[in-house]
Amino acid sequence: MTFAATVLTLYPEMFPGPLGVSLAGRALAERVWSLSTVHIRDFAADKHRTVDDTPAGGGAGMVLKPDVLAAAIDHARARQPDAPVLAMSPRGTPLTQTRVRALAAGPGVTILCGRFEGFDERIFEGRDVEPVSIGDYILSGGEVGALVLLDACIRLLPGVMGAASSGIEESFESGLLEYPHYTRPVDWEGRTIPEVLRSGDHAKIAAWRKHQAESDTRLRRPDLWERYRSARVDPPSGARRRLRDEDQ
Protein backbone atom coordinates (compact mmCIF):
# COMPACT_ATOMS: atom_id res chain seq x y z
CA MET A 1 0.00 0.00 0.00
CA THR A 2 1.36 3.39 -0.98
CA PHE A 3 1.48 6.02 1.74
CA ALA A 4 -0.33 9.00 0.20
CA ALA A 5 0.43 12.55 1.32
CA THR A 6 -1.75 15.51 0.33
CA VAL A 7 -0.63 19.02 1.26
CA LEU A 8 -3.02 21.98 1.26
CA THR A 9 -0.94 25.13 0.85
CA LEU A 10 -0.68 28.60 -0.64
CA TYR A 11 2.79 27.67 -1.90
CA PRO A 12 2.64 24.29 -3.69
CA GLU A 13 5.98 25.03 -5.34
CA MET A 14 7.65 24.31 -1.99
CA PHE A 15 6.96 20.59 -2.49
CA PRO A 16 8.48 18.06 -2.67
CA GLY A 17 11.48 20.25 -1.82
CA PRO A 18 13.94 18.25 0.30
CA LEU A 19 11.59 15.27 0.17
CA GLY A 20 12.55 14.88 -3.48
CA VAL A 21 16.13 13.87 -2.65
CA SER A 22 17.94 11.20 -0.65
CA LEU A 23 15.93 8.33 0.85
CA ALA A 24 12.57 10.09 0.64
CA GLY A 25 13.20 11.11 -2.96
CA ARG A 26 14.14 7.60 -4.01
CA ALA A 27 11.09 6.20 -2.26
CA LEU A 28 8.92 8.77 -4.02
CA ALA A 29 10.37 7.75 -7.39
CA GLU A 30 9.76 4.10 -6.53
CA ARG A 31 6.16 4.91 -5.52
CA VAL A 32 6.60 3.75 -1.95
CA TRP A 33 4.74 6.97 -1.16
CA SER A 34 2.96 9.59 -3.20
CA LEU A 35 2.62 13.35 -2.91
CA SER A 36 0.02 15.74 -4.22
CA THR A 37 -0.57 19.41 -3.46
CA VAL A 38 -3.80 21.37 -3.34
CA HIS A 39 -3.62 25.14 -3.84
CA ILE A 40 -5.86 26.71 -1.20
CA ARG A 41 -6.40 29.81 -3.31
CA ASP A 42 -8.15 27.71 -5.96
CA PHE A 43 -11.10 27.44 -3.58
CA ALA A 44 -11.66 31.16 -3.04
CA ALA A 45 -15.06 32.18 -4.38
CA ASP A 46 -14.50 35.84 -5.27
CA LYS A 47 -12.78 37.28 -8.33
CA HIS A 48 -9.77 38.38 -6.28
CA ARG A 49 -9.27 34.82 -4.94
CA THR A 50 -9.26 36.08 -1.38
CA VAL A 51 -8.15 33.55 1.23
CA ASP A 52 -7.82 35.73 4.34
CA ASP A 53 -9.50 38.54 6.24
CA THR A 54 -8.92 40.75 9.26
CA PRO A 55 -9.17 39.23 12.77
CA ALA A 56 -12.52 39.46 14.49
CA GLY A 57 -12.12 41.76 17.48
CA GLY A 58 -9.21 43.60 15.89
CA GLY A 59 -5.48 43.03 15.98
CA ALA A 60 -2.56 42.66 13.65
CA GLY A 61 -2.26 40.34 10.69
CA MET A 62 -4.78 38.34 8.70
CA VAL A 63 -6.64 35.08 9.33
CA LEU A 64 -7.32 32.31 6.81
CA LYS A 65 -11.03 32.14 6.02
CA PRO A 66 -12.99 29.06 7.16
CA ASP A 67 -15.15 28.82 4.04
CA VAL A 68 -12.12 28.69 1.75
CA LEU A 69 -10.31 26.22 3.99
CA ALA A 70 -13.39 24.01 4.26
CA ALA A 71 -13.77 23.83 0.49
CA ALA A 72 -10.11 22.83 0.10
CA ILE A 73 -10.38 20.22 2.87
CA ASP A 74 -13.57 18.76 1.41
CA HIS A 75 -11.83 18.41 -1.95
CA ALA A 76 -8.83 16.64 -0.40
CA ARG A 77 -10.94 14.43 1.84
CA ALA A 78 -13.04 13.27 -1.11
CA ARG A 79 -9.84 12.05 -2.77
CA GLN A 80 -8.44 10.47 0.39
CA PRO A 81 -11.30 9.83 2.82
CA ASP A 82 -9.39 7.56 5.22
CA ALA A 83 -6.46 9.91 5.83
CA PRO A 84 -6.45 12.09 8.95
CA VAL A 85 -6.39 15.83 8.31
CA LEU A 86 -3.70 17.63 10.30
CA ALA A 87 -3.10 21.38 10.50
CA MET A 88 0.39 22.62 11.24
CA SER A 89 -0.02 25.10 14.09
CA PRO A 90 2.07 26.23 17.09
CA ARG A 91 -1.17 25.87 19.08
CA GLY A 92 -1.40 22.19 18.24
CA THR A 93 -0.49 19.03 20.11
CA PRO A 94 3.29 18.44 20.01
CA LEU A 95 4.31 15.86 17.44
CA THR A 96 5.88 12.77 18.99
CA GLN A 97 7.55 9.66 17.62
CA THR A 98 4.58 7.65 18.84
CA ARG A 99 2.24 9.77 16.71
CA VAL A 100 4.63 9.60 13.76
CA ARG A 101 4.67 5.79 13.91
CA ALA A 102 0.89 5.67 14.01
CA LEU A 103 0.64 7.94 10.97
CA ALA A 104 3.29 5.99 9.05
CA ALA A 105 1.33 2.79 9.65
CA GLY A 106 -1.78 4.29 8.09
CA PRO A 107 -2.87 5.05 4.52
CA GLY A 108 -1.36 8.52 4.52
CA VAL A 109 -2.09 12.03 5.73
CA THR A 110 -3.62 15.29 4.56
CA ILE A 111 -1.76 18.33 5.90
CA LEU A 112 -3.14 21.85 6.04
CA CYS A 113 -0.47 24.56 6.01
CA GLY A 114 -1.25 27.90 7.62
CA ARG A 115 0.04 31.37 6.86
CA PHE A 116 -0.44 34.86 8.33
CA GLU A 117 -2.02 34.70 11.83
CA GLY A 118 -3.28 31.17 11.25
CA PHE A 119 -6.67 29.52 10.84
CA ASP A 120 -10.18 30.56 11.74
CA GLU A 121 -10.72 28.42 14.85
CA ARG A 122 -14.04 27.08 13.61
CA ILE A 123 -12.31 24.96 10.96
CA PHE A 124 -11.00 22.49 13.57
CA GLU A 125 -14.39 21.40 14.82
CA GLY A 126 -16.25 22.06 11.60
CA ARG A 127 -14.04 19.76 9.53
CA ASP A 128 -12.51 17.45 12.17
CA VAL A 129 -9.01 18.85 11.75
CA GLU A 130 -6.25 17.97 14.25
CA PRO A 131 -3.81 20.82 15.03
CA VAL A 132 -0.21 19.61 15.34
CA SER A 133 2.95 21.46 16.40
CA ILE A 134 6.55 20.52 15.65
CA GLY A 135 8.01 22.68 18.41
CA ASP A 136 7.79 25.72 20.64
CA TYR A 137 8.74 28.32 18.06
CA ILE A 138 7.11 30.23 15.21
CA LEU A 139 7.69 29.66 11.48
CA SER A 140 6.59 31.82 8.55
CA GLY A 141 4.12 29.14 7.53
CA GLY A 142 3.13 25.52 7.95
CA GLU A 143 4.97 24.23 4.89
CA VAL A 144 8.28 23.66 6.68
CA GLY A 145 6.42 21.89 9.47
CA ALA A 146 4.66 19.70 6.90
CA LEU A 147 8.03 18.74 5.41
CA VAL A 148 9.26 17.77 8.87
CA LEU A 149 6.19 15.67 9.61
CA LEU A 150 6.33 13.90 6.25
CA ASP A 151 10.05 13.20 6.49
CA ALA A 152 9.53 11.64 9.93
CA CYS A 153 6.80 9.38 8.52
CA ILE A 154 8.41 8.46 5.21
CA ARG A 155 11.65 7.20 6.70
CA LEU A 156 9.63 4.61 8.65
CA LEU A 157 7.88 3.16 5.61
CA PRO A 158 8.95 -0.39 4.73
CA GLY A 159 11.98 -0.44 2.48
CA VAL A 160 12.90 3.24 2.83
CA MET A 161 15.75 2.76 5.31
CA GLY A 162 18.41 0.22 4.46
CA ALA A 163 18.23 -1.60 7.80
CA ALA A 164 15.07 -1.89 9.83
CA SER A 165 17.08 -1.51 13.04
CA SER A 166 18.13 1.97 11.89
CA GLY A 167 14.69 3.19 12.89
CA ILE A 168 14.65 1.56 16.32
CA GLU A 169 17.91 2.53 18.03
CA GLU A 170 17.35 6.27 17.77
CA SER A 171 16.35 9.18 19.96
CA PHE A 172 12.76 8.97 21.29
CA GLU A 173 12.19 5.38 20.10
CA SER A 174 12.93 3.95 23.55
CA GLY A 175 11.81 7.06 25.39
CA LEU A 176 15.42 8.24 25.67
CA LEU A 177 17.81 10.34 23.63
CA GLU A 178 20.09 8.18 21.51
CA TYR A 179 23.55 7.25 22.74
CA PRO A 180 26.56 9.06 21.14
CA HIS A 181 28.22 7.70 18.00
CA TYR A 182 31.85 7.45 16.88
CA THR A 183 33.73 6.30 13.79
CA ARG A 184 37.29 6.24 12.41
CA PRO A 185 39.87 7.63 12.89
CA VAL A 186 40.30 6.21 16.38
CA ASP A 187 42.33 9.25 17.42
CA TRP A 188 41.19 12.68 16.24
CA GLU A 189 42.89 15.80 17.60
CA GLY A 190 43.83 13.91 20.75
CA ARG A 191 40.31 12.66 21.31
CA THR A 192 39.84 8.90 21.11
CA ILE A 193 36.90 6.60 20.61
CA PRO A 194 35.86 5.17 24.01
CA GLU A 195 37.72 1.95 24.66
CA VAL A 196 34.58 -0.06 25.31
CA LEU A 197 33.41 0.53 21.73
CA ARG A 198 36.67 -1.02 20.49
CA SER A 199 36.51 -3.99 22.85
CA GLY A 200 34.34 -6.27 20.71
CA ASP A 201 32.35 -7.16 23.82
CA HIS A 202 28.77 -6.64 22.65
CA ALA A 203 27.24 -6.96 26.12
CA LYS A 204 29.53 -4.26 27.51
CA ILE A 205 28.87 -2.07 24.46
CA ALA A 206 25.10 -2.40 24.93
CA ALA A 207 25.39 -1.55 28.63
CA TRP A 208 27.58 1.48 27.86
CA ARG A 209 25.16 2.75 25.25
CA LYS A 210 22.19 2.37 27.58
CA HIS A 211 24.03 4.20 30.34
CA GLN A 212 25.01 7.04 28.00
CA ALA A 213 21.44 7.34 26.69
CA GLU A 214 20.06 7.53 30.22
CA SER A 215 22.71 9.99 31.37
CA ASP A 216 22.29 12.33 28.39
CA THR A 217 18.51 12.25 28.67
CA ARG A 218 18.64 13.01 32.39
CA LEU A 219 20.91 16.02 31.80
CA ARG A 220 19.56 17.40 28.52
CA ARG A 221 15.88 16.52 28.58
CA PRO A 222 14.57 16.17 32.14
CA ASP A 223 11.02 16.15 30.74
CA LEU A 224 11.78 12.99 28.73
CA TRP A 225 13.62 11.48 31.67
CA GLU A 226 10.62 11.85 33.97
CA ARG A 227 8.33 10.23 31.41
CA TYR A 228 10.83 7.42 30.89
CA ARG A 229 11.05 6.74 34.62
CA SER A 230 7.31 6.69 35.13
CA ALA A 231 6.39 4.80 31.95
CA ARG A 232 4.65 1.48 32.37
CA VAL A 233 3.86 0.73 28.73
CA ASP A 234 5.83 -0.30 25.67
CA PRO A 235 7.92 2.45 24.07
CA PRO A 236 7.04 3.46 20.46
CA SER A 237 9.37 0.87 18.97
CA GLY A 238 7.43 -1.91 20.71
CA ALA A 239 10.50 -3.12 22.58
CA ARG A 240 9.84 -3.81 26.25
CA ARG A 241 12.16 -2.57 28.94
CA ARG A 242 12.41 -2.72 32.74
CA LEU A 243 13.24 0.28 34.87
CA ARG A 244 16.11 -0.27 37.27
CA ASP A 245 15.25 -0.13 40.96
CA GLU A 246 17.58 2.80 41.54
CA ASP A 247 15.67 4.87 38.98
CA GLN A 248 12.37 4.53 40.81
Side-chain angles (χ1 to χ4, degrees):
M1 179 178 65
T2 298
F3 180 92
T6 303
V7 180
L8 284 62
T9 173
L10 291 171
Y11 297 95
E13 62 272 19
M14 294 182 68
F15 297 87
L19 298 178
V21 298
S22 190
L23 295 177
R26 185 170 68 241
L28 182 61
E30 295 174 352
R31 300 184 179 181
V32 174
W33 70 287
S34 67
L35 173 67
S36 61
T37 57
V38 173
H39 201 318
I40 295 173
R41 199 174 295 278
D42 290 342
F43 297 87
D46 66 323
K47 67 178 182 180
H48 299 296
R49 304 177 76 199
T50 305
V51 299
D52 57 347
D53 208 334
T54 55
M62 304 291 280
V63 178
L64 289 168
K65 292 164 58 65
D67 52 341
V68 177
L69 293 174
I73 292 168
D74 290 345
H75 171 79
R77 188 165 268 150
R79 296 166 53 183
Q80 198 174 354
D82 296 329
V85 179
L86 312 181
M88 306 311 303
S89 168
R91 297 181 62 241
T93 303
L95 184 66
T96 65
Q97 190 66 13
T98 300
R99 184 70 174 114
V100 166
R101 282 199 169 271
L103 291 171
V109 64
T110 296
I111 306 177
L112 180 61
C113 299
R115 283 274 160 173
F116 317 125
E117 290 302 306
F119 312 101
D120 185 301
E121 187 70 13
R122 293 170 290 180
I123 199 64
F124 297 109
E125 183 176 351
R127 286 298 182 273
D128 189 24
V129 176
E130 176 189 349
V132 174
S133 170
I134 63 166
D136 297 340
Y137 45 85
I138 306 300
L139 300 171
S140 298
E143 288 78 13
V144 173
L147 291 169
V148 169
L149 189 154
L150 288 175
D151 181 82
C153 291
I154 293 161
R155 60 187 299 278
L156 296 180
L157 300 178
V160 173
M161 287 187 289
S165 60
S166 297
I168 296 176
E169 294 187 3
E170 292 185 317
S171 294
F172 313 117
E173 286 292 349
S174 65
L176 299 169
L177 298 180
E178 192 177 9
Y179 51 80
H181 294 278
Y182 299 85
T183 189
R184 288 184 289 271
V186 172
D187 188 299
W188 175 73
E189 294 187 350
R191 299 170 174 83
T192 59
I193 295 175
E195 184 176 352
V196 64
L197 298 180
R198 296 178 278 135
S199 68
D201 188 322
H202 297 295
K204 288 183 178 179
I205 291 172
W208 180 89
R209 286 174 169 171
K210 185 174 187 293
H211 174 76
Q212 292 296 314
E214 291 178 340
S215 177
D216 285 352
T217 303
R218 187 186 297 111
L219 293 174
R220 300 178 186 181
R221 290 291 303 275
D223 57 323
L224 289 180
W225 177 247
E226 287 305 313
R227 287 203 296 270
Y228 172 80
R229 291 207 317 161
S230 62
R232 290 297 184 272
V233 297
D234 287 349
S237 65
R240 298 194 67 86
R241 62 170 173 76
R242 292 185 301 236
L243 296 178
R244 297 183 302 176
D245 291 340
E246 61 265 30
D247 287 335
Q248 300 301 311

